[in-house]
Amino acid sequence: MSAVLTGERDEGKIEGRHRDRLAIVYVRQSSRQQVADHGESTRLQYGLAQRAQALGWPSSRVMVIDEDLGRSAANAAERPGFARLVTEITLGHVGLVLGLEMSRLARAGYDWHQLVELCSLAGALLADADGVYDPNWYNDRLLLGLKGAMTEVELHLIKQRMASGRLAKAGRGQLAFPLPAGYVRRLDGEVALDPDEQVRDVVRLIFRLFEQLGTVHAVLRFLVEHRVQIGMRERSGPARGELVWRAPHQQGLVNMLRNPAYAGIYAYGRSRTDPARRLPGCEHSGRVRGLDAGQWLVRIDGAWPAYISVEQWQRNLDRMAANRARAASVGAARDGPALLGGLLRCGICGQRMQVSYESTHNGLIGRYVCQLRHHTYGEPRCQQMAARFLDDYITSQVLGALAPAALEVSVLAAEQLQEQRSQVDQIWRQRLERAALACDRARRQYRLVEPENRLVARQLERDWEDALATRAQLA
């Protein structure tokens, strides 16, 4: 590439006052992959510094801004290099802005026209591979506007083609995205259950516990009490694909129970991006989640091996929705002696009755009160009654109904407890077996090292001791 293009029209545009200021070379590539794979484009952009010198700028007044390498030009808020360029232009330090093409500077119409307007006010010129432009000249301003519009249309077409390709691939169930715990992707792209037996058992235990206990926090307390960890596969980095064990947390359990993948459903488009909710500098902000299944872009039942049925997955969603503390929901069981919290409705207005407690010398005394319209509209309370009286009556009715099947219910409860205990015992036996294998591997590695290689031998000895200590903690 020559320093000055043939036929470049810069007569009467570049003046001494321009050369007294900086010539800024703006270097940008849209992604890290482009930086790695398209090195020639990057070299051409850096070569614009020689073109600035050929146009009359000394090397001491040529500035290269390359902080935006690997960043898209769709949004100026996420480009620190572009912000630095705008700042220099606003301060009147810039006489010439060079880019390989106008799309390198901005692809959004707002950002592009703002840049052109600032250059016009500051008396700065713009230059690309086709020539030098003065924003104060009508013809150049018109041409710059057309180039900005073309780059914005080009960005829209690129996004449209990529979105259409993703949607078409997702429609066939072939679009790959990160898998949840309990699944792995084979070399041929097929999704399968995790080959590790302990990982699968922990996932099944979580779904059984939620079916029996009914709340996410109860499942979390059970897992923490029995020191059960969840096996995850590393998604990136040098340890990609390796198994790591992590402590359970509430949001992680909620995501597992909501994820349709565990029911064998391939789902794409479960969330949307709302531009109004995006935060400057936060690339993945503005996501709208919790869309109904009818709003998903793609749903393919039976595409993956399942841990639970579709009916159980839907029951889990309904149960979590009912556990939310809302007026229309039953809600989860709360602290306090009252038994009918969230279940009782007023016979007068039909609204859900709330529970209120008073602390006395005999402990907490509960009352069921219908006060929703009182709090909302200031109307008188419909009614209230003592919780203990109503709880005793309902308890007697329930026990009376269950009396014929009392033995069967007791046996079923005992079987559930025994099943939970056996599942936890099995998981602990698997952890002990894993720890024993790690100790044996560390021992064999230590014994195979050459005695002269003391640096390696000391590290292997420490690894063996750590493995023995881990097994001792589990025993």
Side-chain angles (χ1 to χ4, degrees):
M1 174 178 175
S2 59
V4 179
L5 298 179
T6 305
E8 184 174 48
R9 298 187 303 274
D10 61 343
E11 301 86 355
K13 297 179 182 179
I14 301 178
E15 302 175 359
R17 60 186 179 89
H18 295 124
R19 294 188 177 94
D20 291 337
R21 293 187 249 175
L22 295 174
I24 293 185
V25 176
Y26 183 77
V27 180
R28 187 192 64 81
Q29 293 278 71
S30 297
S31 64
R32 296 180 181 179
Q33 182 178 0
Q34 289 186 4
V35 176
D37 298 343
H38 303 158
E40 187 61 31
S41 176
T42 306
R43 283 190 291 271
L44 286 175
Q45 294 184 66
Y46 280 112
L48 293 176
Q50 299 178 2
R51 181 183 174 194
Q53 296 177 28
L55 290 173
W57 269 264
S59 59
S60 60
R61 283 200 290 271
V62 176
M63 176 188 296
V64 176
I65 295 180
D66 56 2
E67 291 94 327
D68 295 340
L69 278 173
R71 296 177 182 269
S72 172
N75 190 355
E78 300 174 0
R79 290 191 290 159
F82 186 80
R84 181 183 169 195
L85 171 64
V86 171
T87 302
E88 295 290 343
I89 295 174
T90 306
L91 294 175
H93 298 165
V94 182
L96 178 67
V97 179
L98 295 99
L100 188 61
E101 55 189 29
M102 293 298 103
S103 63
R104 300 298 176 186
L105 293 169
R107 282 193 180 273
Y110 173 79
D111 299 331
W112 172 247
H113 290 292
Q114 183 185 37
L115 177 65
V116 173
E117 184 65 25
L118 289 174
C119 290
S120 175
L121 295 174
L125 305 176
L126 292 111
D128 62 4
D130 296 326
V132 179
Y133 310 94
D134 187 344
N136 291 308
W137 288 22
Y138 176 76
N139 289 336
D140 287 359
R141 185 69 170 261
L142 179 62
L143 185 56
L144 289 172
L146 290 174
K147 288 199 171 189
M150 291 174 61
T151 58
E152 190 171 19
V153 171
E154 184 183 19
L155 176 63
H156 170 74
L157 295 176
I158 291 174
K159 288 183 176 181
Q160 188 179 44
R161 288 196 296 267
M162 295 177 64
S164 300
R166 285 195 302 268
L167 186 58
K169 197 170 184 179
R172 302 190 302 270
Q174 298 177 353
L175 183 64
F177 44 80
L179 298 176
Y183 287 97
V184 295
R185 181 172 281 106
R186 296 174 178 169
L187 296 178
D188 58 357
E190 182 182 359
V191 175
L193 299 180
D194 197 293
D196 193 284
E197 180 182 356
Q198 185 181 351
V199 174
R200 301 195 303 271
D201 289 343
V202 171
V203 173
R204 294 190 178 99
L205 174 63
I206 291 174
F207 286 105
R208 292 195 189 100
L209 288 174
F210 186 77
E211 192 82 3
Q212 298 170 6
L213 302 178
T215 65
V216 175
H217 198 68
V219 176
L220 178 62
R221 290 198 307 268
F222 183 93
L223 298 177
V224 173
E225 179 182 355
H226 294 85
R227 294 189 292 171
V228 177
Q229 296 180 323
I230 301 176
M232 310 286 291
R233 297 286 175 176
E234 290 286 359
R235 295 178 177 177
S236 60
R240 181 179 179 181
E242 293 187 7
L243 181 63
V244 294
W245 294 94
R246 295 173 181 168
H249 57 91
Q250 186 175 15
Q251 190 57 49
L253 296 177
V254 170
N255 293 338
M256 290 183 66
L257 294 169
R258 288 178 177 172
N259 199 327
Y262 291 103
I265 301 174
Y266 178 93
Y268 175 74
R270 295 169 57 207
S271 62
R272 302 285 192 277
T273 299
D274 185 359
R277 298 187 180 185
R278 296 204 65 178
L279 301 176
C282 299
E283 182 179 357
H284 300 289
S285 61
R287 303 293 290 179
V288 179
R289 306 182 187 276
L291 300 178
D292 296 333
Q295 298 176 293
W296 299 349
L297 298 178
V298 176
R299 172 175 174 171
I300 305 176
D301 292 1
W304 290 355
Y307 282 92
I308 58 176
S309 63
V310 177
E311 293 75 17
Q312 183 179 349
W313 169 71
Q314 188 61 51
R315 287 198 305 269
N316 294 342
L317 295 182
D318 297 339
R319 187 64 175 271
M320 287 191 291
N323 288 344
R324 298 180 61 184
R326 297 182 301 178
S329 302
V330 176
R334 305 295 179 181
D335 293 338
L339 299 178
L340 304 177
L343 301 176
L344 202 62
R345 287 187 175 274
C346 178
I348 299 176
C349 66
Q351 299 294 333
R352 194 180 307 279
M353 300 185 71
Q354 300 176 348
V355 184
S356 63
Y357 292 100
E358 294 181 2
S359 180
T360 66
H361 62 279
N362 294 326
L364 290 177
I365 296 180
R367 291 181 303 163
Y368 296 114
V369 185
C370 180
Q371 56 185 0
L372 179 61
R373 298 187 66 84
H374 172 73
H375 287 163
T376 306
Y377 302 105
E379 299 178 1
R381 295 179 177 86
C382 289
Q383 61 175 325
Q384 61 180 349
M385 61 186 65
R388 183 174 181 180
F389 167 77
L390 189 58
D391 289 347
D392 292 343
Y393 174 76
I394 297 296
T395 300
S396 62
Q397 295 296 316
V398 172
L399 293 179
L402 294 178
L407 180 59
E408 181 180 352
V409 172
S410 300
V411 172
L412 180 60
E415 289 178 351
Q416 289 181 352
L417 291 176
Q418 181 61 33
E419 182 183 3
Q420 290 180 6
R421 191 176 297 110
S422 62
Q423 290 173 353
V424 174
D425 290 342
Q426 180 180 0
I427 291 174
W428 272 97
R429 287 195 298 269
Q430 292 168 345
R431 291 186 66 179
L432 289 172
E433 182 180 356
R434 190 185 303 277
L437 290 174
C439 290
D440 183 65
R441 183 184 300 109
R443 176 184 59 82
R444 287 186 281 108
Q445 290 176 345
Y446 175 74
R447 292 185 175 180
L448 288 174
V449 70
E450 297 179 357
E452 295 81 5
N453 198 348
R454 298 184 181 274
L455 296 177
V456 177
R458 282 197 293 267
Q459 181 60 44
L460 293 177
E461 183 180 7
R462 284 193 291 268
D463 294 342
W464 188 9
E465 292 175 351
D466 292 341
L468 291 172
T470 301
R471 187 178 67 176
Q473 292 176 357
L474 296 176

